[in-house]
């Protein structure tokens, strides 16, 4: 895929959704940090259901520490890996209060030192909260980039590096969310909805499979 095609894809995604919003519900940087942590191997929908109840009870480092691991587990048990996630939440609360006055840091290295926080989570925080033009690569972004040919790579780091090199600065702020939403609702893992896709004519996957696709409809 050449750069002209990439820009056209981004322009179309922008036209479809000029002001994309992350689907995790939050009302503070800290809430987004915890919600993103919880979203690992879980859907945004189940995370939002869990945190709607949790954040009514506790939504700050101090209040979550007061709640404790055992009580946090009761709230987040519907989510996978709830034991380790609850312990990481407590550790994060301690660190934020001891080092950052209870605030979420705006530095990638500092974010990645927090328990359970990897590069993807750090990039989401930097992008959504601090408006830094980073591009987080999750399973949806990885799939869309490889399937379409937008930025192919064998691992997340390769895809992220290609995106940072090829995505023009004006698109970097929203690129992650556009691709997440496209992967979640259109370019699905098992049954991609090529029939309603607005970028199918620019997509390597569709070009390779269009004759087979039309044979079954």
């Amino acid at each position: 895929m050449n750069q002209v095609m990439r820009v056209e894809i981004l322009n179309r995604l922008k036209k479809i959704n000029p002001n994309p919003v992350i689907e995790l519900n939050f009302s503070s940087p800290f809430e987004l940090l915890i919600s993103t942590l919880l979203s690992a191997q879980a859907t945004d929908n189940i995370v939002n259901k869990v945190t709607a109840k949790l954040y009514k009870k506790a939504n700050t480092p101090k209040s979550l520490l007061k709640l404790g691991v055992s009580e946090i587990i009761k709230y987040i048990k519907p989510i996978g890996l709830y034991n380790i996630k609850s312990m990481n939440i407590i550790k994060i609360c301690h660190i934020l209060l001891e080092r950052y006055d209870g605030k979420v840091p705006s530095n990638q290295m500092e974010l990645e030192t927090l328990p359970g926080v990897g590069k993807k989570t750090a990039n989401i925080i930097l992008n959504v909260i601090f408006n830094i033009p980073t591009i987080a690569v999750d399973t949806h972004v990885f799939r869309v980039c490889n399937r379409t040919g937008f930025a192919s790579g064998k691992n997340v780091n390769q895809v992220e590096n290609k995106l940072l090199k090829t995505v023009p600065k004006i698109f970097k702020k929203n690129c992650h969310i556009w691709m997440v939403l496209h992967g979640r609702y259109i370019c699905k893992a098992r049954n991609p909805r090529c029939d309603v896709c607005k970028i199918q004519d620019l997509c390597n996957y569709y070009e390779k499979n269009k004759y087979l696709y039309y044979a079954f409809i």
Side-chain angles (χ1 to χ4, degrees):
M1 181 175 291
N2 60 48
Q3 191 66 0
V4 173
M5 295 169 71
R6 291 189 183 98
V7 172
E8 178 60 22
I9 285 174
L10 293 167
N11 274 319
R12 292 187 193 182
L13 294 177
K14 180 180 180 181
K15 185 176 181 180
I16 295 167
N17 192 348
N19 299 296
V21 178
I22 192 169
E23 293 190 322
L24 287 172
N25 296 333
F26 68 97
S27 61
S28 70
F30 179 72
E31 284 188 3
L32 180 58
L33 174 62
I34 299 304
S35 291
T36 307
L37 176 73
L38 292 174
S39 70
Q41 298 185 37
T43 65
D44 286 359
N45 185 48
I46 188 64
V47 171
N48 288 337
K49 288 181 179 179
V50 164
T51 56
K53 297 177 181 178
L54 175 62
Y55 294 158
K56 285 183 179 179
K57 185 70 175 180
N59 68 340
T60 65
K62 286 184 179 179
S63 60
L64 279 172
L65 277 178
K66 187 176 180 180
L67 200 61
V69 171
S70 60
E71 286 298 311
I72 291 174
I73 286 176
K74 292 179 182 179
Y75 285 95
I76 70 170
K77 203 165 185 177
I79 295 177
L81 306 174
Y82 56 84
N83 282 315
I84 190 169
K85 287 179 180 179
S86 62
M87 289 188 287
N88 283 338
I89 287 172
I90 291 297
K91 292 176 183 178
I92 286 173
C93 291
H94 276 297
I95 293 172
L96 293 183
L97 289 169
E98 291 171 1
R99 300 180 189 174
Y100 305 107
D101 195 30
K103 297 178 181 179
V104 176
S106 59
N107 177 279
Q108 184 166 10
M109 290 183 65
E110 291 176 335
L111 283 167
E112 289 188 37
T113 62
L114 299 175
V117 175
K119 197 170 187 180
K120 182 199 78 173
T121 298
N123 281 339
I124 290 173
I125 298 300
L126 293 172
N127 182 267
V128 176
I129 298 299
F130 299 106
N131 294 314
I132 296 173
T134 60
I135 303 176
V137 179
D138 67 357
T139 56
H140 295 298
V141 176
F142 185 81
R143 179 176 67 257
V144 169
C145 285
N146 274 290
R147 181 180 279 171
T148 62
F150 191 101
S152 58
K154 294 181 180 180
N155 55 56
V156 168
N157 288 333
Q158 288 183 3
V159 171
E160 181 183 332
N161 289 335
K162 285 188 178 181
L163 286 172
L164 291 174
K165 289 179 181 178
T166 58
V167 174
K169 187 175 181 179
I170 58 171
F171 295 114
K172 280 181 179 174
K173 175 67 175 69
N174 293 321
C175 181
H176 158 74
I177 305 178
W178 281 329
M179 290 194 171
V180 166
L181 296 176
H182 188 70
R184 184 171 291 163
Y185 299 110
I186 303 297
C187 197
K188 297 181 178 183
R190 293 185 180 180
N191 298 299
R193 302 176 62 199
C194 298
D195 55 322
V196 296
C197 179
K198 300 298 184 183
I199 63 170
Q200 62 169 229
D201 58 309
L202 301 168
C203 173
N204 287 352
Y205 176 86
Y206 179 75
E207 186 62 29
K208 291 177 182 177
N209 296 278
K210 61 182 178 181
Y211 299 112
L212 179 63
Y213 176 77
Y214 281 116
F216 286 92
I217 62 172

